[in-house]
Structures are given as structure tokens and as C-alpha cells.
Amino acid sequence: MIRKFFSIAVAFTFVTTLVFSQVKVVDPKVENANNPLGVDVAKPRFSWRLESGKRNTMQTAYEVKVAKDVASLASDKKLFWTSGKVNSDQSLYIDYTGPALESGQKYFWQVRVWDNTGKASPWTGASMWQMGLLKPADWKAKWITPSYEEDSVMRPSPYLRKTFQTTKKVQSATAYVSALGLYEAFINGKRVGDAYLTPGWTNYAKRVQYQQYDVTNLLTQGNNAIGAALGSGWYRGYIAFSNQKNFYGKDVALLFQLQVNYDDGSSDLIVSDETWKSSTGEILASEIYHGETIDHQKTKGGWNTAGFDDSGWSGVRVKSEGYDKLVATYNEPIRKHETFKPIKVIKTPAGELVMDFGQNLVGWVQMKITGKAGDKVTLYHAEVLDKKGNFYTENLRPAKQQNIYILKGGGEETFEPHFTFQGFRYIKIEGYPGEPKAENFTAIALYSDMKLTGNFTCSNPLINQLQKNIQWGQRGNFLDVPTDCPQRDERLGWTGDAQAFARTASYNFDVKNFFSKWLKDVANEQVDGNVPFVVPNVLRWGPNLAGGSAGWADAATIIPWNMYLAYGDKRVLEDQYESMKGWVGWIERTSKNDLWNTGFHFGDWLFYRPFDDNDGRSAVTDKYLIAQCFWAHSTQLVINAAKVLGKNDDVQKYSAMLQRIKDAFNKEYVTSTGRLVSSTQTAYVLALNFDMLPEAQRKQAADRLVENVKSYGNHLSTGFLGTPYLCHVLSRFGHDDVAFALLEQETYPSWLYPVKMGATTIWERWDGIKPDSTFQTPGMNSFNHYAYGAIGDWMYRVVAGIDTEESAPGYKSMVIRPHIGGKLTHAAAEYETKYGVVRSAWKIADGKLTFDVEIPANTKAVVYVPTSKQSSLRESQKELNASKDFKVRGVEGNYTVVEVGSGRFQFAGDL
């Protein structure tokens, strides 16, 4: 229930959190990364943010300078390029406009700015970036694969090596590495980089990523050795649920190029070619779904060092592959993150030895062990225990999710996999010699190295746990591509899940580069505009493309637009515009009379449907009604993008199309009284959220939605497509009370029901575990699926009230409009935009309200203060008149609207 606020006797306080008064430039980035290697953009872009102890600090000008070495930055005559002083408040995505940049070259840069008082900041310290290999001709390495006959059943990981000499003092060394399959590379026995599951997952037939590393410190003067182990990975491993293998090819391969520069100005190039050697080692088998088998008895000690005797090794074959599909890695690689020790060691009723790590996560378990040569230990992985407390793996389907470790003996040994990952909270241990100790087992989380940028907390501990579950669902499923689940024989880049969650994802973590990479994969997988169900597309669906489903394929339009709103980078729209138009064009070609009532659609996937439905309570929504709504939405997003990109002819073309789509919708799916032919929550939510109904019919439609929710006892009945918009629509049409009731609902179906059942991630189904602790459909019952976590978007944007304006995306200009309701007594959110941290926090205590807002430098905000008593605010404005940066705009409903610049503001008053 929304409270009637406030006769405020206002106390207004301005607080600064920074102690310096001079503006300072921090966090300099090139292509959204700090000191990146492997930039293959011909004209990179610079970004930075400002810090200042003064309120209302804005940038008015900037100057960027670039040099080929740090020392030259100090001399104007030695600069490679300078922007000169540019009058602009832009601090993101500043184009480099200098001379052509060279492949592999390092560049150093600095920036300073002027603020709105005319003062200049100090220059930043020197930052750098290194270009990637910009042309196919820059690659001198060859794709190599083992020459020995491989075991086609187990497919042990090939080991490849090469020795070389450096006779001079090394100034710098850069390695460029890729694989068809997965790789781990070493120089002189030391691992190259800290990324895992490289080079990542793309459609290898069209795009293959490479990684670039500074390996200067790994080389020695004299003898050196390069080693690389390969894994089947997504390239040739078992993938998708048809148990298919060799989807992209059957021979894994390595591409390795090492550029060594010496102090005397000379250089060497060491490349993968016919001179390398190959063998196998301790990794006897490795599959994404099934896990890994490692036998320390087969370890070739020092195989990746210079002194190793490889006389018994085989040669290599050169694989016929080109270089035109190689692309530098733009998104953050997968790295190790949080670690967990078991919180409990369990002996189950079935006699199993099980360890509970307390968190459903994705990664693997590192095990330390002492035993005899030949001892074999098997670790099985599961997300849950069954009703009796036994280890439960039926929901994994054929995926084995097991790692087998065979001991060498003779002392403590450490095991962990290389080319696989598991989704789990529990492990079952078999064959362990003696009594396993919890301190010898460590669960390690793996996910794309996205920066944590947001958090939400409130007075309800169950909602706080929900927020944690949402973030852990994202961690576990954002491994180079946005997978649906991380444990069973699937783990695919389902487009429907990704589009539903993308905006929430952008609050929790910095996903700008992550989605930029994946959206390029989306465009590459389109066929005549049609978008597959999964990207990369590894589904075989008879003779037809497995794609074209409403709400799934619309990822091609929804995600680019959401990324533009979140980060303010027009390039994502430029890059994806043809893809966006291609998808809408495919719908138009397959529709009839402006109705998209053809083809296969998943519909409102996993909506509420009771087991015994005698009274028709299953919330079935007509799939073609849904399709029409999403066609309209995607068309609107193409219009939006066309406006941003200045494509006026397209604006007119698609605006006319949109009107026809909506007219056809109202004729086909709406009765004369405004009732939808599918009277479900999802039908009304989509019709309202996408503005399908005439203005005069929207209020009654919202009222019908409320009646529907109440008829289910304040429970939702939506699936993957209705859920993301449900609370947004309720709040938009003045029904915050119902939205909060849904959020706070603790019984099935609801967001908090899984939390009450002990979930630590988001479930695939509302009732993955039933109230009697039995399981829903075992064949499709993931306990780490992020789609329903889309409620996080509403928690950030509505409950805490942090949102951006479409006219100034990326939070250059923002709106802070918190909604207070339900049983909550406080709520707070912090979100690190590209300009800095924005914070909104409200609290009710002892009959008083406090409202705390923080706005980063070089931005501004319209703040909706939860009070209609404007006079009090005018009194408090006296202390601010000197700065003239606090303006009362007026009263809207229960809010007083004020315009503020950067700084921290605290409002307090009586309820």
C-alpha cells in the first residue's frame, strides 16, 4: 500500500564524500577497458569519469594526448596525436581521430579536463592500450593439430610444445593465442594469463576469438619453451541435448604467435608451425557436460619447460584454416572468482559421502589429497538433495558432471579440471582414501570477469536473499555467452532468457562488452533475418532453422536498445541496426494481413499451470497474441534506433508498420469492451507494456490485470515473457500496492517461495521443489536459471527509483523516483554508472522519513522527493541559493520534483 506522505518539517542536508575540491579525472579506459591488450578497433574510443568535492561539477572541455612511449607524453613535439582542447561535456566514447594505428603497437595516453568553474584538472597518469592484429596478413602462425592418431572415444587432451632461444635482453614480448577447442598455454612452465575456457564460444565457422597477452616476464635469456594443452570444449565436444559431437569440427587446433622485441631494436617471431611436437598427458578425457578425468600417473613432469626431453613425441599437422574470421576478444574473459569451503559434511540416508558448499555456483572443486598410486577418486556434482536428503542428479539428464582423479602417490597432490565446468552446491565423493577433510576441498566460482556494479537491499531479509540469488544466477550463467543453465546437457545461449534479463543484468554487473560480443554472434547466426533459439546456434531442427520464436528472437532488438539505455553508447545500435531490421523484416515477410499468426512459438514459457485444472486456472496465453505484441515492440525499438541514428526514412517506414500491427492486434485480439481474448496476466501485461491498446482502453485493462492477480490470491501466473514486465505495468498504472504484494508473496507461485525453500540462485520453475519437498518435472528442472530474476530491474528502477532518461542515455541525465510501499521500512540501491556511483536510499523509522540521494560528477538528475509539501523545500533552499543548483520544479502526485546537479543530498521529515 502506498502511504500518504508527509507533512514535512524539512531538514535538508548536503553531504560530500570527497575531500578534495579540484576536479580529478579517474578510471581512464579505452573501449571500456583499463589498459586493454588486443584492441582491433581501427579508431578506439576513450572514456573517463570525474571526481570532485564540489557540488554540481560538470566537465566543459577535455584534452587527450597519445604517444608511443611514456616519456614522449611529456613533450608536445613527440606526441603521436593530441585532440587539443575540445569544448565538450562528453567523457565517454571519445573518438580517436589521429593517424592510422599499427598492429601490435602499444600506445600511451593521458587526459585532462576543465570544469564549469574554468579550472583544469591535473593530467591523469599514463595509461596504455595495445593494438591487436588488424589484418589477416599480420598472422604468420599456422593452425596446428597433433599428427598422432587420436583416441576417438576418450579424446585425451593433446599437448603441444616448441623450444626456442633468446640471446638478447628482452624489451617486451606479446603472445597472440587461439584454438579450435579450448587451450591453456604456458611459457617456461608458467601459465600464460589467468583466463579459463579460452578462446571462448562463438560460431567457429564465422568468428574465432584470440587472446593477447603481455608475456615479457615469462621469458628468460637463453633457452625457452612454449607449451599448450587443448580441450574439446564447445568445438568438438558433446553439445546440446541430442548428444551430438564434432559440431564445428573433429580436430582441435592451436594458433600461437609470439612477438619478442629486444632492447637493441631487433625482434623475433616465434609461431606455431610444422616444427612443433605433440603428445598426450594426464588429461585422459574432458567434456563440458561430462567432466574431466585426470591421471597424475601419466603426468609428464616439466613438459612445458625448456629442459624436457621430447624426443619420443610426435610431430604436428598444419590444419587448413584461414585468418579472416579471427577477432580479438572484446568481452571480459572467464576467470576464477569467489571460493567456498564446505559448510557441512553429510552422510546421506543412502550412505553417500556428500559435502555442502552452501551456495549453488558454477565452476569446479579443487581437491588436495594424499594416497597410493592408482587410487581413484570421483567427484559427482549436484544442485540439491532429494526429500530424503540423498544426492539428486536426475535433473542433469545425460550430463555426468563428474571429475575422476587418479593419484600418482608419494605425497600430497592437488587436482582441479581444465576444460570443463560444473553447476553445483553439493559434491558426492567416492573412492577417497581415508576420511576426507573439509579443509582439503575448495569450490571455485568461474564466470566472465564482469565488474560488479549494482546492489539492492531492503528491510525484508527474504528479498535481500532474492537479490543475492539473482546475482548468483547471473554469475553462474554468464560464461562468455548468456547460458540458460550451467549443469545439465544444455548450457546454451537461449535468446529468450537473455532478452528477459538483460536490463537487470546491466544493473548487477558491467555487461556492456559481454553483450556487445554476444550480439555480434546473434547477427552472425541470423538467416535471412531469422534469429535462432540459441546463439551460438548448435540446434539441429530438421531442415529448418531452429528459430523465429516471439520473445526469443526479439533479443536481436531488445538487448541492443537496453544496452544503449544502460551505457549510452550509440555504437551498439550502429553495429546491430541491420540485425534489428533483419528480424523485423523476417516477421513482416512471414505474417499475413499484418498478423503474425504463423510458425512455432514457445509462448509464455513455464507459466503457472496447476496439476489438477478442473476450473481452468492454467494461465494459457494465446501464442499469436504474444507474437503480435513482440512484433510491435521490436518495430518500436527499430524506430527508436532509427531516430538515434538519424535514419528518418526508416522512422517513417516503421512507424507506419507499427500502426498497422497495432490496428490488427486490436481487431483480432480485443473485444468491443476492451477485454483480451486471453484473459491472463501475461496478455494484459504485454498489451499494456507495449502500448498495444488505445489510450482510452488502458485503465480498464490495468484494472482487469489487478483483478486477475487478486483472483489468484495475490500470486503471479506469468512465465518467461510476462514476468519481466508484470510489476512495471502495475506501478505504471498506479497499482504499486499490488506490485509490492507480488514481490512480498512467500507462497507458490512467487519470487520468495524458492527463497523460503532454501534457494541460493533463481530456479527455472516457480515450483522446482514442491512444498512437500518433491521435485517438479525432472527432465527440465534447473535450479540455476536467471530469467525470473528479471524482477531485479523493477527493484532497482522502481523501489529504489534509479533510472535513466532516453534523451540522455547511460545516466548522463537520470531520474530518481523511489516508490515506497508494501511492508518495507527501508530500501537502498547503489549503481556504478560509467560516470560514477548513483545512490538512492529511503528509510522510515519512528514516524520519520529519510531520503538519501547521491549523483556522480558530470551528470544531473531529476529527483522525486516523496512529499507534496513544497513549502518546506523552499525554506531549505535558502542555504543553496548561492550555488543555484537546486531547483524545485513542482508537485506531481505525492512527490515534489527537484532538479539537482552532482553531489549527495539528504532529505528528512515527519511522516
Side-chain angles (χ1 to χ4, degrees), residues 283 285-286 290-294 402-405 416-420:
I283 306 174
S286 184
H290 302 319
E292 198 160 287
T293 299
I294 297 176
Q402 66 183 34
N403 297 325
I404 300 173
Y405 300 136
E416 64 180 307
H418 302 264
F419 303 122
T420 187

Side-chain angles (χ1 to χ4, degrees), residues 605-619:
W605 189 248
L606 299 184
F607 58 88
Y608 172 71
R609 46 189 137 183
F611 174 72
D612 185 2
D613 192 24
N614 290 329
D615 61 349
R617 300 300 285 165
S618 290

Side-chain angles (χ1 to χ4, degrees), residues 1-5 820-825 842 844 894 911:
M1 170 179 171
I2 299 179
R3 296 171 175 81
K4 272 285 187 185
F5 303 110
I820 301 175
K823 299 176 183 178
L824 298 185
T825 57
W842 55 264
I844 300 169
N894 288 326
L911 286 175

Side-chain angles (χ1 to χ4, degrees), residues 125-252:
S127 299
M128 62 80 61
W129 83 90
Q130 186 174 11
M131 299 301 292
L133 300 181
L134 302 179
K135 305 183 297 295
D138 294 328
W139 285 97
K140 307 304 179 184
K142 299 177 181 178
W143 290 97
I144 58 173
T145 190
S147 64
Y148 59 79
E149 185 175 347
E150 287 196 75
D151 175 350
S152 61
V153 178
M154 296 291 288
R155 296 196 287 191
S157 286
Y159 284 14
L160 305 168
R161 62 175 266 116
K162 162 79 175 179
T163 59
F164 65 98
Q165 285 192 329
T166 57
T167 59
K168 305 173 185 178
K169 187 175 180 181
V170 175
Q171 180 192 70
S172 65
T174 302
Y176 308 84
V177 193
S178 186
L180 303 178
L182 303 176
Y183 74 84
E184 283 188 346
F186 304 85
I187 294 179
N188 296 325
K190 297 179 180 178
R191 199 175 191 278
V192 175
D194 59 357
Y196 290 83
L197 304 177
T198 47
W201 189 9
T202 55
N203 181 341
Y204 294 90
K206 295 183 178 180
R207 281 164 37 90
V208 180
Q209 298 180 126
Y210 69 89
Q211 284 75 45
Q212 187 166 326
Y213 305 95
D214 184 340
V215 295
T216 308
N217 294 334
L218 300 184
L219 297 181
T220 61
Q221 192 165 339
N223 294 328
N224 292 270
I226 302 167
L230 302 180
S232 296
W234 300 283
Y235 181 77
R236 71 171 186 184
Y238 289 96
I239 198 167
F241 19 70
S242 58
N243 215 25
Q244 64 193 5
K245 64 178 181 178
N246 300 332
F247 188 86
Y248 298 104
K250 66 177 183 178
D251 295 325
V252 292

Side-chain angles (χ1 to χ4, degrees), residues 741-761:
L742 287 173
L743 177 65
E744 294 175 326
Q745 178 62 254
E746 297 180 10
T747 59
Y748 165 78
S750 68
W751 285 285
L752 297 186
Y753 168 74
V755 176
K756 293 273 285 189
M757 296 296 288
T760 60
T761 42

